[in-house]
């Protein structure tokens, strides 16, 4: 369906049917849904690659799911998906193709942008990254003084930081432990200051990761890192070539910075920043885990790409997860979505998803620029269990809000330090299963009374339950499984953007703050140019300057 001729989402018969269904659904409880269908727990599951996805603890029936799929059909999610995979310029406001799926396509696949097959170039860069990674890992890439590189510092922000930083944490047990890998993103100098503590500059490689190579935070940090390195080594510009490489689409700016473009790993404007860690942006990760593990991860992504592209709607996991989010956002007024991994290695996973989801779908105009009349992307949040259980789970269990949540867990740990630590895994996973059970089924006042609880405490100890969750379970958190998980979420976000008729691939909302910061900086440093500031900002700036003794 052409976006121009598209009926507004909330004026489609499919939307009306869902609204009517919601009315009838009322306060139907999961206790009832499970009692009505004893097989629900096994019937409402999907298997995608290594991911076992249980959606039985959702406030849905077969009819709900059918109506949601009707909405997806009416909004032509499949048509937009196919256009994305074909390399059409579906990012209309930036006139760009959206082809992160090409980054993980196998050698020999054919994917065209503007009539040119991009797969050979993707693999040429992967090969160059692999050769470089192998040299660093073998101690063959030496610094200015001839010492092998032992420390890798990735400097980037947003998609040029969150992906590799997250994946490095996730795959720590697959990394070469003789290498130190750190990530610097914040323009707060404290970030770089702390990152270089204890590092021998002669053994340190800086990877400057920036799609545009104009991002102020990254260029500022890279400049400071270069100053630190040259000062510490008492060396001139010639040392830069051995200690700095760049990951970018912008060769000109890389050269301007003083990095030899022979040491630049390229990617392309059809890779969105938040979809880029499986491109050259993953170099720090590849050095840490090695090219073979990196390939396993890309194959995991590809497996889910193919699933999303080809699986029928009834079995299509990203479609299902996207539609469930729409069900709660539009018809239950859910404002947020929690992602709660029961793996310490996934400690940065939700932060990564925040950019993926909120930068993609935090939009309030449709593809034609008209204000949308429906809710779009949720607030995404969460931290690993069981820590969250002792912090904010209280609100999820007994607060007034509905917070759909994803629980992600694994059957076997990937660490093997001590038998005792491995045994702890069952305790972790007992919590994992207990939480979704408690959230779904709660504890009725009668059950509380039956425990002899005094009547005045019964309301406090009652759990109403009926909190929807998805459970994603896999055998182990391997590179492939990580790729599968990320692709699952990427395509879920895609589905939601397609239904809402928004451009999930631009990010104009980050621009205004950048422009204003540029204007305010000279006011802070020089005290000039502050005319026209609003009275609040003007007063704050004045207070800041006086606190700094200016
Ligand atoms: O936050 C805006 C943004 O453009 C992100 O989309 C991107 O990931 C990040 O800045 C970093 O951009 P770059 O890789 O060009 O430095």
């Amino acid at each position: 369906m052409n976006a121009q001729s598209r009926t507004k989402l909330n004026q489609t018969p499919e939307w009306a049917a869902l609204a009517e269904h919601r009315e009838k659904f009322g306060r139907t409880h999961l206790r009832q849904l499970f009692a009505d269908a004893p097989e629900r727990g096994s019937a409402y599951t999907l298997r995608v690659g290594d991911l076992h996805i249980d959606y039985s603890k959702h406030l849905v029936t077969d009819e709900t799911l059918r109506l949601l799929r009707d909405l997806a059909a009416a909004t032509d999610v499949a048509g937009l998906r196919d256009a994305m995979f074909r390399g059409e310029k579906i990012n209309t406001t930036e006139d760009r193709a959206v082809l992160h799926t090409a980054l993980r396509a196998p050698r020999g696949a054919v994917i065209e942008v503007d009539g040119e097959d991009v797969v050979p170039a993707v693999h040429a860069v992967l090969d160059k990254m692999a050769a470089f990674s192998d040299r660093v890992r073998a101690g063959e890439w030496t610094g200015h003084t001839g010492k092998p590189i032992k420390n890798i510092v990735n400097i980037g922000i947003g998609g040029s930081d969150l992906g590799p930083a997250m994946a490095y944490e996730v795959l720590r047990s697959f990394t070469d432990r003789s290498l130190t890998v750190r990530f610097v993103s914040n323009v707060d100098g404290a970030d770089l200051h702390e990152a270089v503590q204890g590092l021998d500059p002669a053994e340190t490689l800086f990877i400057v990761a920036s799609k545009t190579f104009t991002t102020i935070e990254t260029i500022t940090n890279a400049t400071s890192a270069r100053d630190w390195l040259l000062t510490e080594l008492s060396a001139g510009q010639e040392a830069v070539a051995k200690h700095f490489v760049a990951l970018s689409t912008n060769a000109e700016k890389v050269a301007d910075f003083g990095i030899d473009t022979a040491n630049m790993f390229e990617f392309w404007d059809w890779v969105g920043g938040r979809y880029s860690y499986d491109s050259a942006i993953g170099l720090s990760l590849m050095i840490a885990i090695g090219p073979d593990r990196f390939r396993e991860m890309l194959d995991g992504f590809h497996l889910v790409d193919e699933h999303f592209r080809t699986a029928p709607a009834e079995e299509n996991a990203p479609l299902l997860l996207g539609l469930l989010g729409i069900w709660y956002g539009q018809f239950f007024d859910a404002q947020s979505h929690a992602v709660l991994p029961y793996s310490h290695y996934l400690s940065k996973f939700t932060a990564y998803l925040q950019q993926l989801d909120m930068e993609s779908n935090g939009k309030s105009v449709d593809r034609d620029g008209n204000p949308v009349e429906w809710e779009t992307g949720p607030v995404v949040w969460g931290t690993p269990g069981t820590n969250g259980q002792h912090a904010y789970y209280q609100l999820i269990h007994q607060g007034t809000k509905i917070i759909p949540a994803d629980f992600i867990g694994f059957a076997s740990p990937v660490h093997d330090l001590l038998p005792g630590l491995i045994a702890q895994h069952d305790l972790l996973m007992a919590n994992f299963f207990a939480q979704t059970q408690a959230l779904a089924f709660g504890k009725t006042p009668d059950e509380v009374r039956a425990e002899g609880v005094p009547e005045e405490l019964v309301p406090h100890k009652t759990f109403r339950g009926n909190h929807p969750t998805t459970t994603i379970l896999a055998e182990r958190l391997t590179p492939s499984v990580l790729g599968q998980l990320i692709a699952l979420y990427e395509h879920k976000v895609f589905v939601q953007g397609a239904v809402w008729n928004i451009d999930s691939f631009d990010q104009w909302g980050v621009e205004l703050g950048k422009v204003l910061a540029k204007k305010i900086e000279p006011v802070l440093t020089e005290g000039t140019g502050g005319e026209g500031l609003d009275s609040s900002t003007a007063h704050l700036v004045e207070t800041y300057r006086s606190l700094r003794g200016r």
Side-chain angles (χ1 to χ4, degrees):
M1 188 185 297
N2 180 332
Q4 301 295 328
S5 63
R6 197 171 136 162
T7 307
K8 278 190 176 176
L9 179 63
N10 57 356
Q11 289 171 15
T12 60
E14 291 78 11
W15 176 283
L18 274 162
E20 196 185 326
H21 177 68
R22 172 68 186 97
E23 281 285 313
K24 285 197 203 128
F25 198 92
R27 290 168 179 265
T28 304
H29 203 286
L30 280 165
R31 283 194 287 265
Q32 187 62 49
L33 295 176
F34 273 81
D36 291 349
E39 301 301 313
R40 184 179 170 98
S42 54
Y44 276 19
T45 61
L46 285 175
R47 179 80 191 209
V48 182
D50 296 304
L51 310 178
H52 174 92
I53 304 171
D54 177 326
Y55 59 96
S56 63
K57 295 190 185 86
H58 276 287
L59 304 174
V60 294
T61 60
D62 286 350
E63 190 186 358
T64 322
L65 296 171
R66 185 180 56 73
L67 293 172
L68 286 167
R69 285 194 298 270
D70 288 350
L71 188 70
T75 50
D76 198 21
V77 173
L80 193 68
R81 173 198 65 194
D82 294 345
M84 172 177 75
F85 277 96
R86 278 197 303 271
E88 286 178 26
K89 295 189 175 171
I90 63 165
N91 175 0
T92 47
T93 69
E94 295 181 317
D95 193 28
R96 287 178 182 165
V98 175
L99 263 185
H100 42 278
T101 51
L103 298 170
R104 49 262 193 161
R107 224 179 270 277
V110 177
I111 301 170
E112 293 188 350
V113 178
D114 291 331
E116 192 191 330
D117 180 11
V118 298
V119 179
V122 165
H123 281 270
V125 173
L126 285 170
D127 291 345
K128 183 176 168 180
M129 291 165 65
F132 181 77
S133 300
D134 284 341
R135 286 185 68 190
V136 174
R137 287 164 66 83
E140 288 165 16
W141 182 277
T142 49
H144 180 62
T145 66
K147 281 187 166 182
I149 292 300
K150 293 260 178 247
N151 315 310
I152 314 291
V153 181
N154 186 86
I155 300 178
I157 197 163
S160 299
D161 164 73
L162 288 163
M166 173 275 295
Y168 174 71
E169 281 306 315
V170 175
L171 300 177
R172 249 180 197 264
S173 52
F174 298 88
T175 59
D176 178 342
R177 303 278 187 173
S178 69
L179 296 169
T180 298
V181 183
R182 295 182 182 166
F183 295 85
V184 173
S185 54
N186 200 327
V187 77
D188 181 344
D191 199 1
L192 179 65
H193 174 82
E194 292 300 331
V196 297
Q197 292 303 313
L199 301 188
D200 177 353
E203 298 181 337
T204 301
L205 175 76
F206 289 97
I207 298 181
V208 186
S210 176
K211 179 176 169 180
T212 55
F213 231 75
T214 57
T215 304
I216 191 87
E217 291 91 336
T218 299
I219 301 308
T220 305
N221 276 324
T223 305
S224 299
R226 188 178 56 191
D227 291 349
W228 173 79
L229 185 106
L230 299 185
T231 308
E232 295 287 314
L233 291 182
S234 305
Q237 284 298 323
E238 71 284 357
V240 170
K242 291 292 202 164
H243 292 272
F244 280 81
V245 298
L247 320 175
S248 190
T249 58
N250 193 340
E252 206 181 314
K253 292 277 178 199
V254 168
D256 287 352
F257 183 83
I259 296 178
D260 185 348
T261 47
N263 297 336
M264 168 178 153
F265 298 82
E266 186 197 9
F267 60 114
W268 306 272
D269 72 359
W270 42 263
V271 181
R274 53 195 173 273
Y275 298 86
S276 68
Y277 98 78
D278 46 350
S279 70
I281 291 294
L283 183 65
S284 53
L285 176 68
M286 189 192 270
I287 295 171
I289 63 172
D292 292 346
R293 294 292 195 192
F294 196 85
R295 183 69 241 174
E296 282 171 34
M297 183 186 75
L298 295 183
D299 290 343
F301 273 99
H302 182 65
L303 185 153
V304 174
D305 292 342
E306 284 303 284
H307 164 84
F308 179 50
R309 194 174 67 80
T310 61
E314 294 77 5
E315 294 158 25
N316 198 306
L319 180 71
L320 172 76
L321 298 185
L323 292 173
L324 286 171
I326 286 168
W327 175 231
Y328 297 117
Q330 317 301 316
F331 299 102
F332 286 76
D333 205 21
Q335 295 294 316
S336 80
H337 183 93
V339 180
L340 308 167
Y342 277 63
S343 162
H344 200 70
Y345 289 115
L346 286 170
S347 57
K348 294 187 174 170
F349 187 72
T350 310
Y352 170 80
L353 291 185
Q354 284 180 324
Q355 188 199 16
L356 174 65
D357 199 324
M358 295 164 78
E359 201 171 71
S360 295
N361 285 343
K363 310 286 163 64
S364 53
V365 295
D366 69 14
R367 291 175 158 273
D368 302 320
N370 306 309
V372 294
E373 295 164 9
W374 42 88
E375 290 292 324
T376 58
V379 176
V380 176
W381 61 284
T383 53
T386 58
N387 299 11
Q389 289 175 209
H390 295 271
Y392 50 78
Y393 274 41
Q394 165 67 37
L395 184 145
I396 309 182
H397 281 289
Q398 287 191 318
T400 53
K401 297 171 174 52
I402 176 167
I403 302 175
D406 298 346
F407 281 69
I408 304 171
F410 303 91
S412 306
V414 282
H415 57 79
D416 57 5
L417 188 60
L418 290 171
L421 283 184
I422 297 173
Q424 278 180 221
H425 193 72
D426 286 335
L427 178 58
L428 170 72
M429 292 305 285
N431 277 278
F432 175 80
F433 295 117
Q435 286 299 327
T436 58
Q437 191 187 15
L439 286 167
F441 305 110
K443 197 170 184 183
T444 63
D446 285 346
E447 286 167 343
V448 176
R449 276 187 203 105
E451 289 175 351
V453 170
E455 196 54 34
E456 69 274 16
L457 284 183
V458 168
H460 299 279
K461 296 200 165 196
T462 296
F463 289 69
R464 74 176 182 282
N466 226 20
H467 299 290
T469 58
T470 301
T471 299
I472 302 177
L473 186 64
E475 206 255 307
R476 288 174 87 228
L477 182 46
T478 61
S480 170
V481 165
L482 175 63
Q484 293 172 43
L485 278 171
I486 300 292
L488 180 71
Y489 279 97
E490 284 178 349
H491 298 317
K492 172 202 158 177
V493 167
F494 175 93
V495 166
Q496 297 189 330
V499 171
W500 291 324
N501 195 24
I502 56 180
D503 187 334
S504 298
F505 301 101
D506 61 16
Q507 57 285 316
W508 300 108
V510 301
E511 294 303 322
L512 178 60
K514 287 187 196 171
V515 173
L516 294 180
K518 261 194 193 149
K519 282 194 186 155
I520 291 177
E521 195 190 359
V523 190
L524 303 184
T525 52
E526 315 295 333
T528 56
E531 313 76 34
L533 282 180
D534 65 90
S535 65
S536 164
T537 310
H539 185 64
L540 287 166
V541 162
E542 202 181 299
T543 308
Y544 171 86
R545 280 181 54 79
S546 102
L547 288 170
R548 291 218 60 179
R550 288 180 182 151

